[in-house]
Amino acid sequence: QLVSGKLDDDALEEIEASLIQADFGPRVALELTDALRDAYKGKEFKQEELIPFLKTRLSAILGEPEGIRWADSGTTVILVTGVNGTGKTTSIAKLAKSFQLSGKKVLVAAGDTFRAAAVEQLGIWGERLGIEMVRGEENADPAAVVFDAIDIAQKDEYDVLLIDTAGRLHTQTNLMNQLEKVYRVIQKRFPEAPHEVLQVLDATTGQNAIRQATEFKKSVNVTGLVLTKLDGTAKGGVIFPILREVQLPVKYIGVGEGVDDLQVFDPKKFVAALFG
Amino acid sequence: TITSRFTDIVAGLRGKKITEGNVKETVRAIRVALLEADVALPVVKSFVKKVSDKALGLEVVEGVDAGQLFVKIVQDELTELMGPVDPEIPFRNKGPTVILLAGLQGSGKTTTCAKLAKLLRDKKERRPLMVAADLQRPAAIEQLKVLGKQLDIPVFHEPDLAPPKLCERAVEEAQRLGCDTVLLDTAGRLHIDEALMGELKDVAKKTKPDQIFLVCDAMTGQDAVNSAKEFNETLELTGLILTKLDGDARGGAALSVKHITGKTIKFIGTGEKLDRLEPFHPDRMASRILG
Ligand SMILES: Nc1nc2c(ncn2[C@@H]2O[C@H](COP(=O)(O)OP(=O)(O)OP(=O)(O)O)[C@@H](O)[C@H]2O)c(=O)[nH]1
Ligand SMILES: Nc1nc2c(ncn2[C@@H]2O[C@H](COP(=O)(O)OP(=O)(O)OP(=O)(O)O)[C@@H](O)[C@H]2O)c(=O)[nH]1
Ligand SMILES: [Mg+2]
Ligand SMILES: [Mg+2]
């Protein structure tokens, strides 16, 4: 328990520990506690000031929330990427419902043509929501599914196309090449697209999330992040070391397995939850 | 990584004796390296204390430099903590051997269930039955059935039964089908979800599993200790399985979960294909964590 008075090493160590345990990583945690030490050098502090100091600093790093970049006209194409099991398919269902509720005509593309029952999983969500889904042959080239989906999206004037992709590790060169091919197909068919490339990150992931964000960004120009499973005990603090390496706004957070468990990213709320 | 900072510090210790001063510096470098590798903070603290106590307590033999000694101490201590090597699964003499797989959402349980069934059939001549007990994720049952078809291994599912009763029925069915090993694939769940943790407890009560494995994603960060601790306290785990080690995550979660539960890491998942399940090697994991 921090007591008002001189900011001693014990108090700073306690704060550093809570940042580390929130997955800030040792370097960013140390930077923040050093900033705190410098700010209060020789001064008396009130305990109630410490957390707000950090919150202000962290909110500044996160910046203003950014929404989806909608296309000026025609279909907005959103490509969803990420490593295995992070919540891509579930997040697409959540986004589809949210867009649908705001009056958009939504199309979903089952771009995971590899994993067992991946198409079925998305299909069930599509049925539940009454949303059209484009699927391909089993084990088809995902680029072919995306090609068809874009044609249909344009022909039938869908407002938004959400593209699901198979989970893959950024270390799997052939799979990253496959993803790059999907990206090129989108660009070719549709000059402005994809309007968004959302990388889905699991909030329980540690420092490897930095590698994921930077590598996927290099490959397919990720434009935003979805941070899932924040309904657990993981805090998702790894977002701060990520922002050190690459400018990527968090656009949404996943807070459960249900189709309504999606929230537009609120930096203030997120920072408050770090110290909750 | 520890390779860059650790070897620098270690190089600086060339020819020197071990002193409190240089132990402190080296320990600081180790701490940063382990935290960057995602080892949980409380585990890092206890590890570096052990390492520094050991280093200070050593008789420095003539001609051996402090740097080399440090590397050896850290490597050995980490390897010992990660061990033992024990991928064996003891089988029952009477009745089917029941294996329960549990863990957080998306950790790789369903895929691991199929991999384990394949391994037990191909390497241990078992006749496995997989049980699709995840009633909540869309197409979870279908996912296991597809994997079962790929492997030609039977998958049990009965509609209108809750997971505890479903798993109990499955064990009865195994006897009838002549299957001697039952693998229960359960729904991913949060360790803080009381209802679902209670359901898992009921599954265990009804089926009396011989093995209960926690399936953990190797890229998990600091939270690994929280979930592992809770799963271990709710169910008496008998082992841990770490998945997605084919990536470049350092895998510090392995040390975290090992340390907090005291249970053996039996296997690691090293790919999406069903032959990608290997026995765990503590020395390799130790090197990987140290970077
Ligand atoms: N608690 C919680 N679970 C989630 C959240 N988002 C997804 N999940 C669960 O995480 C698991 C994996 O979700 P998927 O949508 O299949 O993940 P994916 O990235 O599509 O997986 P792959 O396609 O296999 O790479 C499922 O059990 C989901 O219900 C979330 O925000 N909170
Ligand atoms: N690269 C790699 N991917 C893996 C490994 N194990 C599982 N996966 C992938 O991780 C994703 C999630 O695997 P699942 O088996 O569906 O995970 P789960 O724990 O059953 O998920 P829930 O039932 O939703 O909790 C899938 O895309 C798998 O193919 C592994 O060792 N390496
Ligand atoms: Mg998916
Ligand atoms: Mg599963």
Side-chain angles (χ1 to χ4, degrees):
Chain A
Q1 255 306 15
L2 300 176
V3 174
S4 300
K6 278 277 181 299
L7 195 59
D8 65 1
D9 285 346
D10 285 347
L12 284 172
E13 201 185 310
E14 214 176 301
I15 293 177
E16 189 190 13
S18 58
L19 293 173
I20 288 172
Q21 293 185 300
D23 286 312
F24 276 66
R27 295 179 202 274
V28 175
L30 185 60
E31 277 183 32
L32 286 166
T33 41
D34 280 350
L36 205 47
R37 176 186 284 116
D38 293 344
Y40 285 92
K41 219 188 193 80
K43 300 199 197 103
E44 290 286 325
F45 77 95
K46 295 207 180 52
Q47 178 195 344
E48 316 84 64
E49 295 176 11
L50 288 185
I51 301 300
F53 175 92
L54 285 169
K55 280 185 181 175
T56 308
R57 204 159 180 109
L58 294 175
S59 297
I61 295 173
L62 293 174
E64 288 306 310
E66 271 185 51
I68 295 283
R69 294 179 197 174
W70 297 104
D72 296 325
S73 63
T75 315
T76 296
V77 179
I78 301 175
L79 179 64
V80 177
T81 61
V83 310
N84 308 70
T86 54
K88 297 177 291 302
T89 305
T90 310
S91 298
I92 285 174
K94 295 172 182 178
L95 287 168
K97 175 163 185 194
S98 159
F99 297 154
Q100 187 186 43
L101 284 178
S102 66
K104 302 214 186 298
K105 188 176 177 195
V106 184
L107 182 66
V108 170
D112 180 353
T113 55
F114 162 74
R115 205 208 69 209
V119 174
E120 283 71 14
Q121 183 185 3
L122 192 59
I124 289 174
W125 283 119
E127 278 177 41
R128 287 180 186 177
L129 298 173
I131 285 181
E132 286 301 316
M133 183 176 91
V134 178
R135 71 175 73 194
E137 302 279 331
E138 212 186 314
N139 280 316
D141 182 352
V145 179
V146 170
F147 189 94
D148 291 342
I150 291 186
D151 262 357
I152 294 169
Q154 291 178 307
K155 189 156 88 353
D156 296 342
E157 302 185 308
Y158 281 89
D159 297 311
V160 58
L161 167 61
L162 284 156
I163 303 173
D164 193 10
T165 61
R168 71 205 65 221
L169 301 176
H170 46 279
T171 48
Q172 293 169 313
T173 316
N174 56 335
L175 293 182
M176 292 308 282
N177 289 340
Q178 182 195 71
L179 189 60
E180 288 169 21
K181 180 175 173 200
V182 164
Y183 185 77
R184 286 195 302 273
V185 162
I186 297 170
Q187 282 184 313
K188 258 209 181 121
R189 296 295 301 157
F190 214 172
E192 302 292 299
H195 303 87
E196 276 296 347
V197 178
L198 296 179
Q199 176 81 351
V200 180
L201 288 179
D202 185 330
T204 64
T205 305
Q207 303 303 297
N208 193 251
I210 303 168
R211 291 279 300 151
Q212 294 174 24
T214 51
E215 290 304 302
F216 273 79
K217 174 131 203 315
K218 268 195 225 147
S219 252
V220 288
N221 195 24
V222 173
T223 57
L225 302 172
V226 176
L227 197 54
T228 61
K229 308 180 196 174
L230 277 170
D231 46 319
T233 50
K235 302 281 183 155
V238 68
I239 199 74
F240 294 99
I242 288 176
L243 289 172
R244 271 300 146 77
E245 305 294 319
V246 64
Q247 267 318 307
L248 279 179
V250 178
K251 304 226 166 177
Y252 292 94
I253 63 172
V255 292
E257 300 191 69
V259 76
D260 297 319
D261 296 330
L262 184 78
Q263 295 173 6
V264 173
F265 184 63
D266 179 341
K268 292 224 162 33
K269 251 177 119 194
F270 179 74
V271 169
L274 288 171
F275 300 103
Chain B
T1 65
I2 202 168
T3 342
S4 52
R5 300 189 60 188
F6 193 34
T7 46
D8 291 344
I9 303 260
V10 158
L13 293 172
R14 266 218 133 61
K16 298 211 180 85
K17 298 189 88 54
I18 291 188
T19 67
E20 278 210 32
N22 57 34
V23 165
K24 216 158 172 241
E25 255 205 274
T26 310
V27 151
R28 209 169 298 152
I30 296 170
R31 178 189 142 102
V32 171
L34 292 178
L35 289 174
E36 290 197 316
D38 291 320
V39 181
L41 183 61
V43 180
V44 172
K45 284 186 175 165
S46 112
F47 179 81
V48 298
K49 168 122 181 45
K50 259 207 179 131
V51 161
S52 69
D53 286 350
K54 233 181 191 169
L56 288 171
L58 274 184
E59 288 294 325
V60 186
V61 177
E62 255 327 304
V64 176
D65 75 39
Q68 283 183 354
L69 218 45
F70 264 113
V71 177
K72 183 141 183 16
I73 291 171
V74 173
Q75 197 97 29
D76 289 354
E77 188 63 24
L78 202 54
T79 303
E80 188 186 335
L81 283 177
M82 302 292 287
V85 179
D86 177 22
E88 292 315 314
I89 294 179
F91 298 109
R92 274 177 180 269
N93 289 323
K94 259 176 99 240
T97 298
V98 179
I99 300 174
L100 171 64
L101 296 172
L104 296 176
Q105 290 91 346
S107 62
K109 298 172 292 300
T110 304
T111 310
T112 301
C113 179
K115 290 177 180 179
L116 198 50
K118 174 176 170 53
L119 185 148
L120 293 177
R121 179 194 57 188
D122 297 350
K123 304 260 165 71
K124 303 288 177 183
E125 331 223 304
R126 305 294 295 179
R127 287 186 306 280
L129 174 70
M130 301 197 288
V131 182
D134 178 353
L135 308 184
Q136 102 141 2
R137 167 173 156 156
I141 298 162
E142 181 62 14
Q143 185 184 3
L144 195 63
K145 285 188 170 169
V146 169
L147 296 177
K149 222 167 177 196
Q150 286 176 8
L151 295 173
D152 192 20
I153 288 179
V155 175
F156 177 83
H157 179 75
E158 214 175 270
D160 307 327
L161 290 179
K165 199 82 192 108
L166 170 64
C167 291
E168 186 180 51
R169 275 283 300 129
V171 178
E172 293 167 10
E173 189 68 4
Q175 315 244 28
R176 209 182 61 78
L177 290 172
C179 291
D180 57 15
T181 310
V182 179
L183 296 119
L184 308 172
D185 180 26
T186 63
R189 67 203 65 217
L190 295 178
H191 52 289
I192 52 171
D193 186 326
E194 289 193 22
L196 286 184
M197 291 306 279
E199 177 191 90
L200 206 47
K201 238 189 175 138
D202 288 342
V203 169
K205 244 203 218 116
K206 285 227 162 4
T207 58
K208 312 258 180 300
D210 302 285
Q211 298 292 328
I212 301 183
F213 295 144
L214 179 65
V215 179
C216 312
D217 191 325
M219 61 183 95
T220 308
Q222 297 288 311
D223 196 54
V225 277
N226 300 328
S227 47
K229 179 167 186 286
E230 200 59 38
F231 273 94
N232 194 36
E233 287 178 3
T234 301
L235 311 161
E236 191 58 47
L237 300 177
T238 61
L240 309 162
I241 299 179
L242 250 75
T243 62
K244 308 179 201 171
L245 272 165
D246 44 317
D248 60 2
R250 297 265 291 277
L255 181 59
S256 304
V257 300
K258 173 80 226 278
H259 178 98
I260 202 87
T261 63
K263 302 295 153 68
T264 306
I265 299 175
K266 311 283 287 183
F267 300 102
I268 57 172
T270 55
E272 291 192 81
K273 300 237 165 74
L274 300 179
D275 58 354
R276 306 262 33 121
L277 188 72
E278 306 171 16
F280 173 70
H281 288 288
D283 52 348
R284 287 186 211 163
M285 195 71 220
S287 308
R288 179 182 179 131
I289 290 175
L290 290 176

